[in-house]
Amino acid sequence: MSNVEISLKEIMTSIEGSLGTALVDYTSGMALGTLGGGKDLDLMVAAAGNTDVIRAKTRTMEHLGLTGEIEDMLITLGSQYHIIQPLKGRSGNGLFLYLVLDRTKSNLAMARHQLRRIGAEVDV
């Protein structure tokens, strides 16, 4: 099993309320791995769409002259949380983790912490 598969499995099993997760290359918009999801949560479509989100925010930060890196982005829906978390470090350059949580079953602060911890261990 690859490091990507192990990391995605850890996200799904250790973060309460996880509905689906993906590791995405935001230079191409392609998911390098997905786990979970379903007919109402197409992770391949979400990967491509969230690539546009992260590119737009990066471009906006450049136009505004903002320094620093994006820690994560949160999209709050009525029944879900969507977290986009760029990976840091040499092997994570150009990649982000995407996590969808059931809002009623998850702890957002803990999920962000766990996702950051797991993301630091991803080696592609």
Side-chain angles (χ1 to χ4, degrees):
M1 196 178 300
S2 76
N3 182 272
V4 171
E5 290 174 89
I6 292 168
S7 297
L8 295 177
K9 191 171 198 173
E10 184 177 359
I11 289 168
M12 291 297 291
T13 58
S14 69
I15 300 178
E16 193 171 344
S18 295
L19 299 174
T21 188
L23 176 64
V24 184
D25 177 344
Y26 63 81
T27 58
S28 67
M30 298 296 295
L32 303 178
T34 64
L35 192 60
K39 68 179 182 82
D40 295 330
L41 179 58
D42 185 331
L43 291 170
M44 299 303 273
V45 171
N50 286 310
T51 294
D52 292 337
V53 171
I54 205 161
R55 286 180 186 162
K57 186 57 185 176
T58 301
R59 196 171 42 252
T60 301
M61 288 175 63
E62 289 171 2
H63 290 305
L64 293 172
L66 297 175
T67 57
E69 297 175 333
I70 298 168
E71 260 185 54
D72 60 30
M73 295 180 189
L74 173 65
I75 300 167
T76 305
L77 303 178
S79 63
Q80 298 174 342
Y81 293 124
H82 293 236
I83 303 172
I84 302 168
Q85 193 171 88
L87 297 184
K88 311 276 189 259
R90 182 175 41 88
S91 68
N93 195 22
L95 303 176
F96 68 88
L97 283 170
Y98 171 61
L99 173 62
V100 180
L101 298 167
D102 180 322
R103 191 170 171 165
T104 63
K105 297 178 181 176
S106 62
N107 177 320
L108 181 58
M110 185 58 76
R112 290 178 65 216
H113 173 74
Q114 290 283 75
L115 193 61
R116 192 172 304 113
R117 181 189 59 75
I118 295 166
E121 298 170 4
V122 173
D123 186 25
V124 180

